[in-house]
Amino acid sequence: MISLSVTALVFGVVFLAELPDKTALAGLVLGTRYRASYVFAGVAAAFTVHVVLAVAAGSVLTLAPQRLVHAITGVLFLGGAAMLLMKKGEGDDEVKAPKGQSFWRVSGAGFMLILVAEFGDLTQIMTANLAARYDDPLSVGIGAVLALWAVAGLGIVGGKALMKRVPLALITRIAALLMLALGLWSLYEAVA
């Protein structure tokens, strides 16, 4: 039986913890470059996998090799920053799926970015702890998934709304610099 109070509690805690996280930035960046529905499908699938792993594994995820996770995340963010900085302007500010960027490519890119970047993240560990505490995996899982999807949706929609007011070239440069900073920070965390 699903407990609405546990689901609501988990939603609130996970939503607030994830809102300032790098995931909102990643969703915003992907949402400015690709079709929002494609991005959301990949990101939502990755979050679902994370929640299933967290609920199933419980507190075992706290033992994940953080240095490796930080190193891989850092490399992915640096690669993303390099791709954004080297991309030539397309002449218009309309966001659409670029030529050759099918649903599977765009959603797959969003899936992989979130899957790697969020592994062992605070919200995943928090979800595992909440699942262990309340012994109600379904309620905890539903609350956590809905919270993560809400944050991703806000980031993606925020990227679309931002683009109506700010030129795409400026958004791309700022996003690249933020991704560069996140990449360097992640690599620092891997080494420190």
Side-chain angles (χ1 to χ4, degrees):
M1 195 72 176
I2 296 173
S3 167
L4 292 179
S5 61
V6 170
T7 300
L9 174 79
V10 171
F11 178 91
V13 169
V14 171
F15 182 85
L16 290 174
E18 190 66 24
L19 197 56
D21 197 44
K22 61 191 170 285
T23 305
L25 172 66
L28 188 142
V29 170
L30 291 170
T32 62
R33 303 299 298 174
Y34 304 108
R35 184 175 289 168
S37 59
Y38 290 9
V39 174
F40 185 77
V43 169
F47 277 135
T48 302
V49 169
H50 275 287
V51 169
V52 167
L53 288 173
V55 169
S59 61
V60 173
L61 288 175
T62 59
L63 303 175
Q66 290 297 309
R67 286 184 177 206
L68 178 62
V69 172
H70 289 307
I72 292 170
T73 301
V75 169
L76 285 174
F77 273 119
L78 290 176
M83 287 174 52
L84 287 175
L85 288 172
M86 291 189 291
K87 186 168 180 71
K88 300 290 182 204
E90 295 168 359
D92 66 341
D93 283 344
E94 183 183 342
V95 173
K96 53 190 168 222
K99 292 178 184 173
Q101 297 297 316
S102 69
F103 168 80
W104 294 110
R105 282 191 161 184
V106 173
S107 62
F111 178 84
M112 289 307 296
L113 176 66
I114 298 303
L115 190 69
V116 173
E118 290 294 310
F119 187 77
D121 191 58
L122 171 65
T123 53
Q124 190 178 34
I125 294 167
M126 187 184 306
T127 301
N129 290 335
L130 288 167
R133 175 175 166 72
Y134 289 105
D135 196 24
D136 188 355
L138 188 58
S139 297
V140 170
I142 290 171
V145 163
L146 292 176
L148 294 169
W149 287 0
V151 170
L154 284 174
I156 292 165
V157 170
K160 294 282 188 195
L162 181 65
M163 225 181 68
K164 291 179 180 176
R165 296 187 178 9
V166 181
L168 181 59
L170 180 60
I171 294 172
T172 301
R173 286 188 188 101
I174 291 170
L177 291 174
L178 289 172
M179 289 181 82
L180 178 66
L182 285 169
L184 293 173
W185 179 255
S186 293
L187 291 176
Y188 170 77
E189 286 181 324
V191 175

